Amino acid sequence: MIGSRVRRQEDPRLLTGRGQFVDDVALPGMLEAAVLRSPHPHARITNVDVSEALALPGVFAVLTGEEVRDVCASPQPVVWRMIPDQRMTDQYALAVDKVRYVGQAVAVVAAVDRYVAEDALGLIEVDYEVLDAVVTLDDALAEDAPLLYEDWPDNVSCRQTIPKGDAAAAFAEADVVVSETLTYGRQMGTPLETRGAVMSWDPFTDRLEGWMSTQSPNLTRDLLGEVLGLPVERIRVRTPDVGGGFGNKFDFYGEEVLAALLSRRTGRPVKLIEDRLESFVANAHSREQRIEVSVAAKADGTITGLRGTVYAVLGGQLATVGIGPCWLSMAVMAGPYAIENIEATVVGVVTNRSPYGSYRGWGQPKANFAHERIIEKLAGELGMAANDVRRRNLIPPDAFPYASQVFFYDSGNYAECLDLAEKAVAERGWAQRRDTAAEQGRSVGIGFSFHIEISALGPSKIMNQSGLQHSSFDEEVVRIDSSGGVVVRTGLSAMGQGIQTALAQVAAQTLGVPLDSVTVHHGDTETNPFTGYGTGASRGAALGGGALLRASTRLRDKVLRIAANILEASPDDLEITDGRISVAGTPGGPSVTMREIGDAAYRRLADKLPDGEDPTLEERDVLDPENVAFSYGTTAVLAEIDRETGRVTLLDYLLVHDCGTVINPTIVDGQIHGGATQGIGGALFEEIVYSPEGQPLTTTFMDYLIPTASEIPTFETVHMTTTADHIPGGFKGMGEAGTIGAASAITSAIENALPDLGLRLNRLPVTPPRLLQAMTDAAPAASSREETP
């Protein structure tokens, strides 16, 4: 069962339109809400007049920033506080004195329907004192820059350097030093389903019940309690089907608080669903960084030192994850390479842009872009093949567990992974296709990148010490009912990643029952167990599957004890096959079914349940591992460049990947390919752009381009297996793998396709105009090299 390409159990319901999403929730007497958002990137709020809006027929309530501040127990929380002395941007769900980005919520209306609520927004009068905007990183760091927070000396929220070894000595003694400045464009997850919440605050019991499109229901419940000053036993969070998350729905948002407060004020349920325009300005943005990176190396390509500075282009206030993604870019900048001397720094800078939060891969795609781009440049400087430089510096198998700058890498065979990728590329004739294209006057290139991926996020105590203000363990419950059916309860959110099928496979194989006899329940904090961090950080299958494996193993042992009592045999002599328990090696002999075991444990206990055995068949397990688990892989890309237009066409795409024990190869492949698609988007198409005045210019899918089926190549995945020995079952995660190495491999392929120009691409996305400009800029230098005798 584990390792089988079984079909996903959840798909028929979703594909036939039987899924239920937040906007499908309809409660008696429900109102709908709309949010008034700032049109200015930076301004003081001098007055808010809501009298005309309140007078509009059909309007039930209007809230302003001061009212929200007065009734909330705390500002919007930041759960990742990596840097102890970081300056925090304490904000409430509505702006109180100042707005710091276009789209910041200023007021909210609850009315009989969304149409009336939108009309009421137009009647709210807000007086602004417009201030100079700080739009870019350079604007924010300028000496005379306007301050987003007047009590700060500058616009720097935090700065931290984490060293390893003696970087100064490594650079002083190096045979060669190469440096690069890289720019990673601003992006966001753009899930198909926008964010939303339906909140119902019962005035008689003072209980809050919410339906939310969130990746982390337990975290959301706890943060709601913190902000509203309500004990969590009075809060129930339900998570129906989630139409894509990608990190955007991990963060905790002010709209969830606003819907709850409106429900308390009106005594009715309130629905608040964002539209697509709102999603572009109110959802967490991500990715944007400027990275300065240098490596010191010997003449044979051995890297002896690395220096890097990550400039995080934060928004006007901190999102739930704070500096987290950018801190991680700094923390894993050395990637899979055994570099003994490191000096890495992160600098968090606030700007008048939307908050910076979670997106698939967190800080890892940017770190990958830094270490893979500098590897390519070092290889060019030394006249070596980039993969030879990689191979010389990859952490060897006998070095695991390996102490990196921050983390302990648990296991891996990195060189074998790179070798497999090169072998696969050779077998598929990519080099011949490139050479044939060159003969035809076409420009085709091959690019590689190597990535690592933090997965199985935990353990809680170490995460707490690292700055996480929450837990990161996982709890799973498995139960066999009185008729022999198996029910698994999980706190993880289902958002298209196939977690129901993966958990069902683990339970079915461990218990020896058919897959279709297992039902997985999720999406309710009142009836399902506690999951500390939720669905994210590539942890669902690793921690959820690992905890479920242990619980199911103990439950299997109990089943065998009961069966042994009925069959008058030893439990050690029994086996379970397709839900039937019998003595091993005796086909056709005496046996009992799982239904009979359920009957013995719940109904007719007197003759069938062994003495001293408790009734019922249920086990639970909590997995809080001693370490995270590191997956890894090699990405190879075959790309063609149109020199006239600057268009990049991806012809073929290969990933060699190791995520430990594979539960379902189809799900793994789908996750890797989906992640690669988003990586392609970030490499070639997607960028959130602001005007010099701080106005967002990409607020629709006409402006913000995401790849479609026409731009996506054929994907192929080759699997390796290096188990995580500290995770039951050896599972590692892979949900972010495809995203991490995509941009590095694609830019490498573009450069390889244009060898005559000697391009060094250092800015993402590589759009056609940017590539054409880079080619134009490189042409004179290329001509000069050709003319030099």
Side-chain angles (χ1 to χ4, degrees):
M1 191 76 68
I2 291 178
S4 301
R5 291 184 178 273
V6 302
R7 291 187 177 183
R8 301 191 342 161
Q9 292 184 312
E10 53 269 51
D11 287 354
R13 181 176 56 83
L14 295 171
L15 293 173
T16 56
R18 287 170 169 79
Q20 184 184 55
F21 300 88
V22 167
D23 200 29
D24 295 319
V25 176
L27 302 179
M30 186 173 69
L31 305 175
E32 295 193 61
V35 178
L36 181 68
R37 301 186 181 277
S38 169
H40 305 293
H42 198 194
R44 296 187 197 283
I45 300 173
T46 59
N47 185 57
V48 181
D49 185 352
V50 301
S51 56
E52 289 190 39
L54 278 170
L56 182 69
V59 170
F60 280 71
V62 181
L63 293 175
T64 64
E66 291 185 353
E67 291 174 292
V68 169
R69 179 192 59 192
D70 292 344
V71 299
C72 284
S74 73
Q76 292 295 106
V78 174
V79 300
W80 275 107
R81 297 183 178 229
M82 271 83 170
I83 302 174
D85 60 351
Q86 179 174 6
R87 300 183 184 114
M88 305 307 293
T89 62
D90 289 342
Q91 294 287 319
Y92 290 87
L94 292 176
V96 178
D97 56 347
K98 208 180 190 189
V99 291
R100 294 179 174 88
Y101 59 93
V102 172
Q104 185 168 3
V106 175
V108 64
V109 174
V112 290
D113 55 40
R114 181 68 181 247
Y115 301 101
V116 174
E118 294 276 5
D119 288 345
L121 295 185
L123 300 176
I124 299 175
E125 296 290 336
V126 183
D127 296 328
Y128 294 101
E129 177 191 337
V130 178
L131 304 172
D132 291 335
V134 178
V135 183
T136 68
L137 178 64
D138 290 329
D139 290 344
L141 293 176
E143 284 191 18
D144 58 348
L147 297 178
L148 270 71
Y149 295 87
E150 283 81 359
D151 55 341
W152 294 9
D154 51 36
N155 289 314
V156 176
S157 172
C158 60
R159 182 188 301 267
Q160 186 181 57
T161 299
I162 299 182
K164 175 187 175 183
D166 188 345
F171 276 82
E173 298 167 3
D175 295 331
V176 60
V177 173
V178 294
S179 301
E180 189 71 275
T181 299
L182 305 163
T183 302
Y184 211 115
R186 197 173 191 87
Q187 298 173 238
M188 61 179 288
T190 60
L192 183 63
E193 179 205 31
T194 58
R195 289 189 297 108
V198 175
M199 308 297 281
S200 180
W201 198 316
D202 191 319
F204 302 102
T205 62
D206 203 29
R207 285 179 54 85
L208 176 64
E209 187 165 3
W211 290 257
M212 279 170 277
S213 185
T214 176
Q215 296 173 227
S216 188
N218 293 110
L219 177 61
T220 297
R221 183 195 62 179
D222 288 0
L223 296 183
L224 275 170
E226 182 180 322
V227 171
L228 299 172
L230 191 65
V232 293
E233 67 265 19
R234 296 187 193 170
I235 303 175
R236 181 181 188 179
V237 171
R238 295 186 180 188
T239 305
D241 294 309
V242 177
F246 313 125
N248 273 177
K249 293 176 183 175
F250 172 84
D251 290 36
F252 180 77
Y253 293 90
E255 286 83 353
E256 295 154 3
V257 174
L258 296 177
L261 292 176
L262 287 170
S263 178
R264 182 167 67 174
R265 173 164 292 192
T266 62
R268 292 189 177 205
V270 173
K271 176 185 286 188
L272 178 51
I273 306 291
E274 70 177 7
D275 61 27
R276 185 59 66 183
L277 171 60
E278 288 180 297
S279 77
F280 273 105
V281 296
N283 257 318
H285 290 178
S286 58
R287 297 286 194 258
E288 186 178 12
Q289 292 179 5
R290 178 190 296 167
I291 306 175
E292 298 171 354
V293 59
S294 303
V295 291
K298 296 179 181 180
D300 65 357
T302 302
I303 299 174
T304 57
L306 179 146
R307 282 178 173 148
T309 300
V310 173
Y311 289 95
V313 188
L314 304 176
Q317 68 183 68
L318 294 175
T320 311
V321 293
I323 193 67
C326 304
W327 181 92
L328 186 60
S329 299
M330 174 269 294
V332 295
M333 191 176 291
Y337 303 111
I339 303 174
E340 294 304 315
N341 305 290
I342 301 172
E343 185 178 271
T345 300
V346 61
V347 182
V349 183
V350 293
T351 61
N352 290 122
R353 299 186 176 213
S354 298
Y356 191 113
S358 299
Y359 182 30
R360 195 175 196 168
W362 242 45
Q364 296 170 103
K366 289 86 78 179
N368 183 271
F369 194 59
H371 62 66
E372 294 302 276
R373 290 281 76 207
I374 204 67
I375 284 277
E376 296 269 354
K377 188 168 185 178
L378 174 63
E381 187 76 15
L382 296 173
M384 298 175 63
N387 278 350
D388 289 343
V389 176
R390 290 186 177 98
R391 192 173 284 105
R392 182 172 294 276
N393 292 283
L394 287 170
I395 300 166
D398 59 4
F400 292 101
Y402 178 81
S404 77
Q405 177 193 354
V406 173
F407 299 96
F408 280 91
Y409 298 179
D410 60 317
S411 63
N413 195 331
Y414 294 173
E416 180 184 354
C417 182
L418 183 58
D419 291 345
L420 281 174
E422 287 189 321
K423 180 181 178 182
V425 165
E427 290 174 346
R428 286 152 182 77
W430 285 15
Q432 183 178 354
R433 292 173 65 181
R434 177 185 60 192
D435 296 343
T436 300
E439 294 171 0
Q440 298 170 346
R442 296 160 49 219
S443 299
V444 173
I446 301 170
F448 289 87
S449 69
F450 197 103
H451 77 268
I452 56 171
E453 176 191 9
I454 299 173
S455 74
L457 185 70
S460 296
K461 289 184 178 179
I462 293 177
M463 295 298 106
N464 288 163
Q465 293 166 0
S466 301
L468 176 60
Q469 311 295 303
H470 209 264
S471 60
S472 50
F473 62 82
D474 193 83
E475 181 183 15
E476 299 289 327
V477 176
V478 57
R479 185 181 187 98
I480 299 174
D481 62 32
S482 61
S483 64
V486 179
V487 174
V488 173
R489 294 192 177 275
T490 181
L492 297 166
S493 290
M495 55 181 188
Q497 79 278 38
I499 192 65
Q500 301 104 306
T501 301
L503 293 179
Q505 285 184 256
V506 171
Q509 174 160 314
T510 308
L511 293 170
V513 300
L515 183 64
D516 59 10
S517 70
V518 182
T519 302
V520 178
H521 291 298
H522 64 92
D524 190 339
T525 59
E526 191 164 286
T527 60
N528 292 320
F530 193 96
T531 295
Y533 200 74
T535 301
S538 297
R539 62 186 299 278
L543 266 65
L548 181 59
L549 177 64
R550 292 200 304 205
S552 298
T553 300
R554 291 197 299 273
L555 186 55
R556 176 190 175 93
D557 292 341
K558 185 172 182 178
V559 167
L560 291 175
R561 292 195 301 270
I562 297 173
N565 185 65
I566 297 172
L567 296 172
E568 298 181 351
S570 168
D572 297 335
D573 295 334
L574 301 181
E575 63 180 5
I576 310 176
T577 304
D578 290 332
R580 182 173 291 275
I581 305 96
S582 62
V583 176
T586 59
S591 64
V592 294
T593 65
M594 200 64 77
R595 173 181 286 274
E596 291 174 282
I597 298 296
D599 187 73
Y602 288 92
R603 302 180 65 196
R604 283 172 275 273
L605 285 62
D607 299 326
K608 298 180 181 181
L609 193 69
D611 292 340
E613 199 74 64
D614 292 331
T616 75
L617 293 165
E618 180 174 293
E619 289 288 344
R620 67 178 58 234
D621 193 86
V622 176
L623 181 56
D624 200 3
E626 64 188 30
N627 189 17
V628 294
F630 277 84
S631 299
Y632 58 93
T634 303
T635 301
V637 173
L638 184 68
E640 181 171 358
I641 287 75
D642 186 326
R643 291 181 182 244
E644 296 296 322
T645 65
R647 179 181 178 181
V648 178
T649 302
L650 303 180
L651 304 176
D652 221 336
Y653 207 107
L654 173 75
L655 298 104
V656 179
H657 189 261
D658 189 335
C659 62
T661 302
V662 174
I663 297 174
N664 187 322
T666 299
I667 291 177
V668 171
D669 291 350
Q671 283 290 295
I672 290 176
H673 299 167
T677 299
Q678 291 184 302
I680 291 167
L684 298 177
F685 303 103
E686 300 178 37
E687 185 174 23
I688 294 173
V689 179
Y690 283 81
S691 74
E693 298 76 30
Q695 291 291 331
L697 302 178
T698 41
T699 56
T700 73
F701 288 130
M702 291 292 289
D703 317 304
Y704 185 84
L705 303 181
I706 59 175
T708 68
S710 300
E711 289 78 41
I712 299 306
T714 299
F715 293 111
E716 185 175 355
T717 306
V718 177
H719 296 283
M720 289 178 56
T721 300
T722 307
T723 58
D725 293 337
H726 62 294
I727 301 290
F731 310 129
K732 297 183 180 183
M734 45 70 215
E736 296 153 292
T739 310
I740 298 171
S744 300
I746 291 168
T747 49
S748 172
I750 295 170
E751 292 175 354
N752 185 256
L754 305 167
D756 54 306
L757 296 179
L759 284 182
R760 290 295 175 207
L761 299 173
N762 56 18
R763 181 178 180 183
L764 295 176
V766 184
T767 60
R770 283 183 184 154
L771 182 54
L772 285 175
Q773 187 61 55
M775 293 165 62
T776 301
D777 294 343
S783 299
S784 177
R785 286 194 299 271
E786 291 176 358
E787 293 170 2
T788 301

